[in-house]
Amino acid sequence: MYLRAVRGPRISRETAPVATGALPPAPPRVFASDNAAGAHPAVMEALARANAGHALAYGADPITREAVAQFRELFGAEVDVSFAYGGSGANVFALACMLQPAEAVVCTTSSHIAVDESGAPERILGAKLIDLPSPDAKLTPEMVRSVLHLRDSLHHVAPAVVSLTQVTEVGTLYEPAEVRALCDTAHEAGLRVHMDGARIANATAALGGTRAALRAMTIDAGVDVLTFGGTKAGGVFGEAVVFLTRDPQYAARAPRVHKQVGQLHSKQRFIAAQYSALLRDDLFVTLGRQANAAAARLHAAVSDVASLRLGAPPRANSLFPTIAQPARRRLQDWTFFWDWDAARDQARWMTAWDVTAQDVDAFAAGVRAAVA
Amino acid sequence: MYLRAVRGPRISRETAPVATGALPPAPPRVFASDNAAGAHPAVMEALARANAGHALAYGADPITREAVAQFRELFGAEVDVSFAYGGSGANVFALACMLQPAEAVVCTTSSHIAVDESGAPERILGAKLIDLPSPDAKLTPEMVRSVLHLRDSLHHVAPAVVSLTQVTEVGTLYEPAEVRALCDTAHEAGLRVHMDGARIANATAALGGTRAALRAMTIDAGVDVLTFGGTKAGGVFGEAVVFLTRDPQYAARAPRVHKQVGQLHSKQRFIAAQYSALLRDDLFVTLGRQANAAAARLHAAVSDVASLRLGAPPRANSLFPTIAQPARRRLQDWTFFWDWDAARDQARWMTAWDVTAQDVDAFAAGVRAAVA
Amino acid sequence: MYLRAVRGPRISRETAPVATGALPPAPPRVFASDNAAGAHPAVMEALARANAGHALAYGADPITREAVAQFRELFGAEVDVSFAYGGSGANVFALACMLQPAEAVVCTTSSHIAVDESGAPERILGAKLIDLPSPDAKLTPEMVRSVLHLRDSLHHVAPAVVSLTQVTEVGTLYEPAEVRALCDTAHEAGLRVHMDGARIANATAALGGTRAALRAMTIDAGVDVLTFGGTKAGGVFGEAVVFLTRDPQYAARAPRVHKQVGQLHSKQRFIAAQYSALLRDDLFVTLGRQANAAAARLHAAVSDVASLRLGAPPRANSLFPTIAQPARRRLQDWTFFWDWDAARDQARWMTAWDVTAQDVDAFAAGVRAAVA
Amino acid sequence: MYLRAVRGPRISRETAPVATGALPPAPPRVFASDNAAGAHPAVMEALARANAGHALAYGADPITREAVAQFRELFGAEVDVSFAYGGSGANVFALACMLQPAEAVVCTTSSHIAVDESGAPERILGAKLIDLPSPDAKLTPEMVRSVLHLRDSLHHVAPAVVSLTQVTEVGTLYEPAEVRALCDTAHEAGLRVHMDGARIANATAALGGTRAALRAMTIDAGVDVLTFGGTKAGGVFGEAVVFLTRDPQYAARAPRVHKQVGQLHSKQRFIAAQYSALLRDDLFVTLGRQANAAAARLHAAVSDVASLRLGAPPRANSLFPTIAQPARRRLQDWTFFWDWDAARDQARWMTAWDVTAQDVDAFAAGVRAAVA
């Protein structure tokens, strides 16, 4: 089923209603989204350092060179990196480099590109997203194979790029072997693979927390282009698009397409500096681990409340509890979080890198008070 | 599930393999599609008559004025008509007049715009199609209501146009009351309604065969813009886009958008003349009735063959038999028709306006010989 | 200067005002445009012949195969041909096959694609047209070279296709050597060449009237993709896009892009049949010659009227006279033709393939009566 | 003439060659562009302050509300503000809200949207830019009127938005009366007016330095939508799009189009905070004044070198000197600046907000040494 949920803020910029009722004090940090958090101090310091003096714009600066070198240290000397402004823009930029006319992207109906980017892919790419339903928001080789026949007819768009999200939009994870199986299926059929890694930091933390773990589920598994999230990982703004496989066509097109889709920052050093800070000593993994741990703690604190139907502990940093009305609304008034599938009384709790144990405990206490 | 079937010719222009085996002689007319037929003699005569002397281009000619007048006689003096080249182009043109930026079209996953136009809507409109699964390829008010909440968030495209196909791509029909219920739901929510009437002639024939029947399921039911099919109805080329409801915005935009989407014919009199012929004495209804009757005759002739799983008699001009291999391939080699859902051994038989009783009987004999 | 003139009909479909005053009887054929003419009888006969029986749609039919074979006889076995509906659509389709993201088309400010297609190239291609001013509407190698430096910066679109029009929009002609020089310049720099040959028939007639002459200014000169006009050459509808040079990328993309841009006709045999007729015995050249001869006769008849400033005899089928008001309006009321550059009192007279000597003489008499 | 110059960095990220020869020490700050500068300390402090705790994303936060309130204090309670990531994106977003299908933007051939955005407007808007040549990069009412006739024909795009740049790309300024005359002409004809104010801070400083001066050339003059530059004015990233006139259609479309064009930042407070700092005590004017003063000082220091052909003192922060080779290359190796029109030996010197008198004097000394 298409587009079950409404996420993100209402269009009108209403002040969130103040909390009421006999609930304990709300925690100072929210469980609405990981983009409700600010930036890590090391990122802020990097911004301040990058602010010294002049630097040529659009990437011809030493800070950008340093960050690119760090990415190459991580993924190998062959990779290329471009810095974009935001997540939707980075995805569109990556796909714009990968698609030819009348080609399409295979994804799930839950994918950010299909649901949460206000149609930016269709408008900017002019391409169809073949969005396949998937209960766990994961693609499988079988799903990819199920649409390959479309290439046999000129009446249909040709699947050309498989786009998967890691961590998925519903908090599930692809194991490295699953990514590899998808990439193998795609590559054998001549398709290329894009990974939307807006939460790649959380995924890395969840799958071992090492650089090897990150590589295992990306470049080693065969992913061609990776959106490597920065904003949710503790940044102020900026995403990285990492071209993991050497394709002369991507390389030729990318710089110009970069500006054409509105994602080339003039003062690019300020994005690069943030990535330098996040990559140094694997800070992004540390922050991903913190966010994941907060979600795990929250699960542990309330999973005995059967009505929440929380199921197994989370792999990453989100939980999808069931909370009937009026309790859900009451809790949202107390400290805001989003409905995920209102028709099924399902909400989403998401933890950011800076959520503390105290925040979790305070939130859990409120949930218990409202629900139990 | 998205895009189950491959229709239309393979990209390579292969000659269809010649028939083999102990089958009776194949009928001279095929059951592959209604666009395998040529044009009705009255259409050809109209083209010949229209070819006399000079006429100003792009619609400033008396033949266009005459055809527009005929449409107004049919639908009312308030309607406006534009003539397009082909079905995909006509749909895109209609939707281009109806959509604003970041607005989306609600349709089914089986709809021609979603499946069979090679992504023309996404490319030319830059808009998302919210394609909802529907076993009978029909939209319901409930389906429309299920996506209205998307308008509440700036992260999602806003459903703005409901596009239904009459006759649907799987041969089902909307009753006038069903169209009206959809239009009422759409209009109450501020959406507009487009009907892809590539087979509106077959639909009219099926629902009574009168002008009143046509109006009942279109303008009287609240449809805003109608693609009124001509090519499949017995024409050489050309489709009509009928703006049934007076909307100053459409009127202002349509002429220019018409050329912008590549659907404005210079020698427009040649399209208009065909419509004049098709509308005169309701020839389009007669031809739609003939096509429907051929499908009904075919159903009657083979519906006792249980393995075909043909179910109830067809409403319009298509049947979707189940035929396992190698019989299906053998029949297709004998006289070509398309697979509909190869994974389920389902094919499509479609009858054109000029298919005769002899054609049907010969085809049915072959089917019996191959399948039974 | 951009877009000097308004051509084509006003948006409102007004009846052209009736003639007044002491002018001789107006000729039955107009000098408004070559698309005011109907189709040649041989084309109509071909349509009638093509209307026999059934044929698989979308090009999988023997008539299409025959027309493609005729094009290969003309241009060589290596060329590929697609049939489109109209001129704007054919140009957009050709360019869509030739362009990558962030690439641009070099043309003149007078070119049909830049001026007369209501922005279809920008909308459907999403590409910029680098339109260079040119008094004679012709591109030169120097003009192409003048924009090559744009490729050196990611801030600019990259010129990738040179599009020239033959006959140009102001009636001038490229000599074969000029086309070759353009193609050489383009190819050396890695650009490809598109020729908008909406009036290629007139150009062929003007440059010798032989197949060798046609080849000399197209395939032999290095043109990669040719829009080979059919509608103005005596057809009912339909244009051909001829891929003259073997490019695997074009070949792979073309069939699908064909439908995506709304230019794939289901009953394609009806376009192919017209081209078969036009190519047989070089009928298109004969008709181009007739149109050109009518323009030449008109020039000879009135070129002594100094105020018209007609200059040298026309190469093809258009004249651009200067006629001050109120004489211009009076003549247009008598028999309609278009203003070309109203600010400079310039009009356009264009002759079609079916304009007779009597038509020309009657028109010339009226011009003398109104202007002298 | 279209696109004379190459600006911006070469696509390959080469290190700028080191200086050679007997030139004095190069200044620490460059004259390459105003985006070579970092951010003002007050902006950095604002970012740090904004980094405290959690805030709901996408604008539902108090910092965004505060910045919007400051804009309303400046321009009036009726204006609406959206924050975008970068200059090209902000322009595209503004125009996307203002354009209907088949409408076009009137601008100059020098305009940033036409030359320096890699075709983003054509790709994302699908619209034509009617770019008119203008020696001083300014539009006039007469230029606007010269294209209004295009609206009379369905073959042409309809001019619908006039986009002017203040300060222009060649350093010239519109006086408030000139903007008003343009707006009056546009509005009388039913067109709307967009101002690309990437350097609105420099323009405000140049035209009096008061809020009244800013209003006089924008909202009071009739501008409908203003891109209010932040990055060049001393920010890290982010631009503001100010909807100056109340248009319910803009208001309805803007939030959704905002995300659709990839310009909606999740952690929007970080853009808003920068604008709060820039608007407080008119810091943006102070910084604009500093940049302008540096350019004036540079002009005064070298304008006696006749070969530079500097002409009158600059109004804002750019100079366009003529420097023949090899002196130009030698200077660029010493401290980098861009060629503007290499064919005419013209370069561009641009001063940023942080360029000091010492920087200017050191640069001027180098110029004298290299050129004289």
Side-chain angles (χ1 to χ4, degrees):
Chain A
M1 186 63 165
Y2 180 87
L3 292 178
R4 291 161 308 174
V6 173
R7 289 179 289 287
R10 302 284 154 161
I11 284 177
S12 60
R13 292 171 183 155
E14 295 297 324
T15 311
V18 290
T20 59
L23 293 170
R29 273 161 289 268
V30 298
F31 292 74
S33 178
D34 33 14
N35 56 30
H40 188 268
V43 167
M44 299 305 288
E45 286 158 26
L47 280 182
R49 267 199 310 277
N51 196 36
H54 273 205
L56 289 184
Y58 302 109
D61 69 89
I63 296 173
T64 296
R65 277 192 294 277
E66 167 65 15
V68 170
Q70 288 173 270
F71 270 109
R72 288 183 172 151
E73 194 184 347
L74 173 55
F75 287 118
E78 291 297 297
V79 310
D80 212 341
V81 184
S82 296
F83 296 105
Y85 281 120
S88 298
N91 286 337
V92 166
F93 167 46
L95 295 171
C97 293
M98 302 173 80
L99 285 170
Q100 292 287 319
E103 291 185 345
V105 181
V106 182
C107 58
T108 77
T109 52
S110 309
S111 64
H112 197 270
I113 55 173
V115 181
D116 279 319
E117 302 186 354
S118 285
E122 285 86 353
R123 175 164 191 160
I124 302 181
L125 302 173
K128 182 185 277 293
L129 306 184
I130 302 177
D131 53 335
L132 303 171
S134 169
D136 63 357
K138 288 166 67 176
L139 287 170
T140 63
E142 185 185 22
M143 289 162 71
V144 171
R145 279 192 293 268
S146 76
V147 298
L148 291 179
H149 66 284
L150 295 173
R151 300 180 303 176
D152 297 334
S153 162
L154 54 78
H155 299 281
H156 309 319
V157 288
V161 174
V162 173
S163 180
L164 61 158
T165 312
Q166 176 81 316
V167 183
T168 74
E169 293 78 4
V170 302
T172 55
L173 272 175
Y174 289 90
E175 298 298 324
E178 292 175 313
V179 178
R180 172 178 287 278
L182 265 173
C183 292
D184 287 349
T185 300
H187 291 159
E188 279 162 27
L191 282 70
R192 302 171 290 287
V193 178
H194 167 251
M195 180 181 277
D196 177 356
R199 296 190 178 96
I200 196 72
N202 305 283
T204 304
L207 288 168
T210 65
R211 294 191 157 216
L214 171 54
R215 284 191 294 260
M217 65 171 154
T218 55
I219 190 167
D220 294 349
V223 172
D224 296 293
V225 183
L226 169 66
T227 300
F228 189 113
T231 306
K232 289 171 175 158
V236 167
F237 75 109
E239 305 284 305
V241 176
V242 191
F243 296 88
L244 295 171
T245 53
R246 214 9 90 190
D247 180 318
Q249 286 204 313
Y250 300 169
R253 261 181 255 154
R256 196 165 245 120
V257 173
H258 199 174
K259 182 145 197 186
Q260 193 181 45
V261 299
Q263 293 296 319
L264 177 64
H265 188 33
S266 56
K267 298 183 174 179
Q268 192 168 301
R269 55 172 152 164
F270 286 117
I271 304 180
Q274 296 178 69
Y275 271 96
S276 267
L278 289 170
L279 292 178
R280 191 165 300 125
D281 302 328
D282 295 351
L283 175 61
F284 74 101
V285 182
T286 303
L287 301 187
R289 193 181 293 122
Q290 289 174 199
N292 294 357
R297 183 181 184 96
L298 179 55
H299 183 273
V302 297
S303 64
D304 63 311
V305 182
S307 72
L308 295 173
R309 293 187 217 163
L310 281 178
R315 301 291 306 272
N317 63 327
S318 54
L319 296 169
F320 295 82
T322 300
I323 315 174
Q325 297 293 24
R328 193 163 84 252
R329 177 75 187 158
R330 194 175 166 222
L331 272 174
Q332 288 167 327
D333 287 349
W334 174 64
T335 181
F336 188 72
F337 54 86
W338 294 106
D339 283 351
W340 181 254
D341 186 347
R344 296 193 299 155
D345 281 335
Q346 197 175 37
R348 186 188 71 174
W349 296 335
M350 181 155 271
T351 54
W353 64 269
D354 62 348
V355 168
T356 65
Q358 290 75 11
D359 293 329
V360 171
D361 296 345
F363 186 69
V367 170
R368 283 189 172 280
V371 171
Chain B
M1 188 61 164
Y2 181 87
L3 293 176
R4 292 160 308 175
V6 172
R7 289 178 290 288
R10 302 285 154 161
I11 284 175
S12 59
R13 291 170 183 156
E14 296 296 324
T15 311
V18 289
T20 59
L23 292 171
R29 273 162 289 269
V30 299
F31 292 73
S33 178
D34 33 13
N35 55 31
H40 187 269
V43 167
M44 299 304 289
E45 285 158 27
L47 281 182
R49 267 198 311 276
N51 195 38
H54 273 206
L56 289 185
Y58 302 109
D61 68 89
I63 295 173
T64 296
R65 275 193 294 277
E66 168 64 16
V68 170
Q70 287 174 269
F71 270 109
R72 288 183 172 150
E73 194 184 346
L74 172 54
F75 286 118
E78 291 297 298
V79 310
D80 212 340
V81 184
S82 296
F83 296 105
Y85 281 120
S88 298
N91 286 337
V92 166
F93 167 45
L95 295 171
C97 292
M98 301 173 81
L99 285 170
Q100 291 288 320
E103 291 186 343
V105 180
V106 183
C107 57
T108 78
T109 53
S110 309
S111 64
H112 196 271
I113 55 172
V115 181
D116 279 318
E117 302 186 353
S118 284
E122 285 85 354
R123 175 163 190 161
I124 302 181
L125 302 173
K128 183 185 277 292
L129 305 184
I130 303 177
D131 53 334
L132 303 171
S134 170
D136 63 358
K138 287 166 68 176
L139 287 170
T140 64
E142 185 184 22
M143 289 163 71
V144 171
R145 278 192 294 266
S146 77
V147 298
L148 291 179
H149 67 284
L150 296 173
R151 300 181 302 175
D152 297 333
S153 162
L154 54 78
H155 300 280
H156 309 319
V157 289
V161 173
V162 174
S163 181
L164 61 158
T165 312
Q166 175 82 318
V167 183
T168 75
E169 293 78 5
V170 301
T172 54
L173 273 175
Y174 289 90
E175 299 297 325
E178 292 175 313
V179 179
R180 172 178 287 277
L182 267 173
C183 292
D184 286 349
T185 300
H187 291 158
E188 279 162 27
L191 284 70
R192 303 170 289 286
V193 178
H194 167 250
M195 179 181 278
D196 176 357
R199 296 190 178 96
I200 197 72
N202 305 283
T204 304
L207 288 168
T210 64
R211 296 192 155 212
L214 170 54
R215 284 193 293 261
M217 65 169 155
T218 56
I219 191 166
D220 295 350
V223 171
D224 296 294
V225 183
L226 168 68
T227 301
F228 189 113
T231 306
K232 288 170 174 158
V236 166
F237 75 109
E239 305 286 302
V241 176
V242 190
F243 297 88
L244 296 170
T245 52
R246 210 16 88 189
D247 181 317
Q249 286 204 314
Y250 300 169
R253 262 181 255 156
R256 196 165 247 121
V257 173
H258 198 175
K259 182 144 197 186
Q260 192 181 46
V261 299
Q263 292 297 318
L264 178 63
H265 188 34
S266 56
K267 298 183 174 178
Q268 192 169 300
R269 55 171 153 164
F270 286 117
I271 305 180
Q274 296 178 69
Y275 271 97
S276 268
L278 289 169
L279 292 177
R280 192 165 300 125
D281 300 329
D282 296 350
L283 175 62
F284 72 101
V285 182
T286 302
L287 300 187
R289 194 182 291 121
Q290 289 175 198
N292 295 357
R297 184 181 184 97
L298 178 56
H299 183 273
V302 296
S303 64
D304 62 312
V305 183
S307 71
L308 295 173
R309 293 187 218 163
L310 280 177
R315 301 293 305 274
N317 62 327
S318 54
L319 296 169
F320 295 83
T322 300
I323 315 175
Q325 298 293 24
R328 192 164 86 251
R329 177 73 186 160
R330 192 173 169 227
L331 271 174
Q332 288 168 326
D333 287 348
W334 174 65
T335 181
F336 188 72
F337 54 85
W338 294 106
D339 282 352
W340 181 254
D341 186 348
R344 296 192 299 154
D345 280 336
Q346 197 175 38
R348 187 189 71 174
W349 297 334
M350 182 156 269
T351 53
W353 64 270
D354 61 349
V355 169
T356 64
Q358 289 76 10
D359 293 329
V360 171
D361 296 345
F363 186 69
V367 169
R368 283 189 172 281
V371 171
Chain C
M1 187 61 165
Y2 180 88
L3 292 177
R4 292 160 307 174
V6 172
R7 289 178 289 287
R10 302 287 154 157
I11 284 176
S12 60
R13 293 171 182 155
E14 295 297 323
T15 311
V18 291
T20 59
L23 292 170
R29 272 163 288 269
V30 298
F31 292 74
S33 178
D34 32 14
N35 55 30
H40 188 268
V43 167
M44 299 304 289
E45 285 158 26
L47 280 182
R49 268 197 311 277
N51 195 36
H54 273 207
L56 289 185
Y58 302 110
D61 68 89
I63 296 174
T64 295
R65 275 194 294 277
E66 167 66 15
V68 170
Q70 287 173 269
F71 269 109
R72 287 182 172 151
E73 193 184 347
L74 172 55
F75 286 118
E78 291 297 297
V79 309
D80 213 340
V81 184
S82 297
F83 296 105
Y85 281 121
S88 299
N91 286 336
V92 166
F93 168 45
L95 295 171
C97 292
M98 302 173 80
L99 285 170
Q100 291 287 321
E103 292 186 343
V105 180
V106 182
C107 57
T108 78
T109 52
S110 308
S111 64
H112 197 271
I113 56 173
V115 181
D116 279 319
E117 302 185 353
S118 285
E122 286 85 354
R123 176 163 190 160
I124 302 180
L125 302 173
K128 183 185 277 291
L129 306 183
I130 303 178
D131 53 335
L132 303 171
S134 170
D136 63 357
K138 287 166 68 176
L139 287 170
T140 64
E142 185 184 22
M143 289 162 72
V144 171
R145 279 191 294 268
S146 76
V147 299
L148 292 178
H149 67 283
L150 296 172
R151 299 181 303 175
D152 297 333
S153 162
L154 54 78
H155 299 280
H156 309 320
V157 289
V161 173
V162 174
S163 180
L164 61 158
T165 311
Q166 175 82 318
V167 182
T168 74
E169 293 78 5
V170 302
T172 54
L173 273 174
Y174 289 91
E175 299 298 325
E178 292 175 314
V179 178
R180 171 177 288 278
L182 266 174
C183 291
D184 287 349
T185 300
H187 291 158
E188 279 161 27
L191 283 70
R192 302 171 289 287
V193 178
H194 167 251
M195 179 181 278
D196 176 356
R199 295 190 179 96
I200 197 71
N202 304 282
T204 304
L207 288 168
T210 65
R211 294 190 158 216
L214 170 54
R215 285 192 293 260
M217 65 170 155
T218 56
I219 191 167
D220 295 349
V223 171
D224 295 293
V225 183
L226 168 68
T227 301
F228 189 114
T231 307
K232 288 170 176 160
V236 166
F237 75 109
E239 305 284 303
V241 175
V242 190
F243 296 88
L244 296 170
T245 53
R246 217 5 94 194
D247 181 316
Q249 286 204 314
Y250 300 168
R253 261 181 256 156
R256 196 165 246 121
V257 173
H258 199 175
K259 182 144 196 186
Q260 193 180 45
V261 299
Q263 293 296 320
L264 177 64
H265 188 33
S266 55
K267 298 183 173 179
Q268 192 169 299
R269 56 172 152 164
F270 286 117
I271 305 180
Q274 296 178 69
Y275 271 97
S276 268
L278 289 170
L279 292 178
R280 191 164 300 126
D281 302 327
D282 296 350
L283 174 62
F284 74 101
V285 182
T286 302
L287 301 187
R289 193 182 292 121
Q290 289 174 198
N292 293 358
R297 183 180 185 96
L298 178 56
H299 182 274
V302 296
S303 64
D304 62 311
V305 182
S307 71
L308 295 173
R309 294 187 215 164
L310 281 177
R315 300 293 304 274
N317 63 327
S318 54
L319 296 169
F320 295 83
T322 301
I323 315 174
Q325 297 293 24
R328 191 164 86 251
R329 178 72 186 161
R330 195 177 166 221
L331 271 173
Q332 288 168 326
D333 287 348
W334 174 64
T335 181
F336 188 72
F337 55 85
W338 295 106
D339 283 352
W340 181 254
D341 186 348
R344 297 193 299 155
D345 281 335
Q346 196 175 37
R348 187 188 72 174
W349 296 334
M350 181 156 270
T351 53
W353 64 270
D354 63 348
V355 168
T356 64
Q358 289 75 11
D359 292 330
V360 170
D361 296 345
F363 186 69
V367 169
R368 283 189 172 280
V371 171
Chain D
M1 188 62 165
Y2 181 87
L3 292 177
R4 290 160 308 172
V6 172
R7 288 177 290 287
R10 303 284 155 162
I11 284 176
S12 60
R13 291 170 183 157
E14 296 297 325
T15 311
V18 289
T20 60
L23 292 171
R29 273 161 289 267
V30 299
F31 292 73
S33 178
D34 32 13
N35 56 31
H40 188 269
V43 167
M44 299 303 290
E45 285 158 26
L47 280 181
R49 266 197 312 276
N51 196 37
H54 274 206
L56 290 185
Y58 302 109
D61 69 89
I63 296 173
T64 296
R65 276 193 295 276
E66 168 64 15
V68 170
Q70 287 174 268
F71 270 109
R72 288 182 172 152
E73 194 184 346
L74 173 54
F75 287 118
E78 292 296 297
V79 309
D80 213 340
V81 185
S82 297
F83 296 105
Y85 281 121
S88 298
N91 286 336
V92 166
F93 167 45
L95 295 171
C97 293
M98 302 172 80
L99 284 170
Q100 292 287 320
E103 291 186 344
V105 180
V106 182
C107 57
T108 78
T109 52
S110 309
S111 63
H112 196 270
I113 54 172
V115 181
D116 279 318
E117 303 186 355
S118 285
E122 284 86 354
R123 175 163 191 162
I124 302 180
L125 302 173
K128 183 186 277 293
L129 305 184
I130 302 177
D131 53 335
L132 303 171
S134 169
D136 63 357
K138 288 166 67 177
L139 287 171
T140 63
E142 185 185 21
M143 289 163 70
V144 171
R145 279 192 294 266
S146 77
V147 298
L148 291 179
H149 66 284
L150 296 172
R151 299 181 303 175
D152 296 333
S153 162
L154 53 78
H155 299 280
H156 309 319
V157 289
V161 173
V162 174
S163 181
L164 61 158
T165 312
Q166 175 82 315
V167 183
T168 74
E169 293 78 5
V170 302
T172 53
L173 273 175
Y174 290 89
E175 298 299 324
E178 293 175 312
V179 178
R180 172 178 287 277
L182 267 173
C183 292
D184 286 350
T185 300
H187 291 158
E188 279 162 27
L191 283 70
R192 302 170 290 286
V193 179
H194 167 251
M195 179 181 278
D196 176 356
R199 296 191 179 95
I200 197 71
N202 305 281
T204 304
L207 288 169
T210 64
R211 296 192 155 214
L214 171 53
R215 284 192 293 261
M217 65 170 155
T218 55
I219 191 167
D220 294 348
V223 171
D224 295 293
V225 183
L226 168 68
T227 300
F228 188 114
T231 306
K232 288 170 176 160
V236 166
F237 76 109
E239 306 285 304
V241 175
V242 190
F243 296 88
L244 296 170
T245 53
R246 207 25 81 192
D247 181 318
Q249 286 204 313
Y250 299 168
R253 262 181 254 155
R256 197 166 245 120
V257 173
H258 198 175
K259 182 145 198 186
Q260 193 180 44
V261 299
Q263 293 296 318
L264 177 64
H265 188 34
S266 56
K267 298 184 174 179
Q268 192 169 300
R269 55 172 153 163
F270 287 117
I271 305 180
Q274 296 178 69
Y275 271 97
S276 268
L278 289 170
L279 292 178
R280 192 165 299 126
D281 301 328
D282 296 350
L283 176 61
F284 73 102
V285 182
T286 303
L287 301 186
R289 193 181 291 121
Q290 289 175 199
N292 293 358
R297 184 181 183 96
L298 178 55
H299 182 273
V302 296
S303 65
D304 62 311
V305 182
S307 70
L308 295 173
R309 292 188 218 163
L310 281 177
R315 300 293 305 273
N317 63 328
S318 54
L319 296 169
F320 295 84
T322 302
I323 314 174
Q325 298 292 24
R328 193 164 85 250
R329 177 73 186 160
R330 195 176 167 223
L331 271 174
Q332 288 168 326
D333 286 349
W334 174 66
T335 181
F336 189 71
F337 55 86
W338 295 106
D339 283 351
W340 181 254
D341 186 347
R344 296 193 299 155
D345 281 335
Q346 197 175 38
R348 187 189 71 174
W349 296 335
M350 183 156 270
T351 54
W353 64 269
D354 62 348
V355 168
T356 66
Q358 289 76 10
D359 293 329
V360 170
D361 296 344
F363 186 69
V367 169
R368 283 190 173 279
V371 171

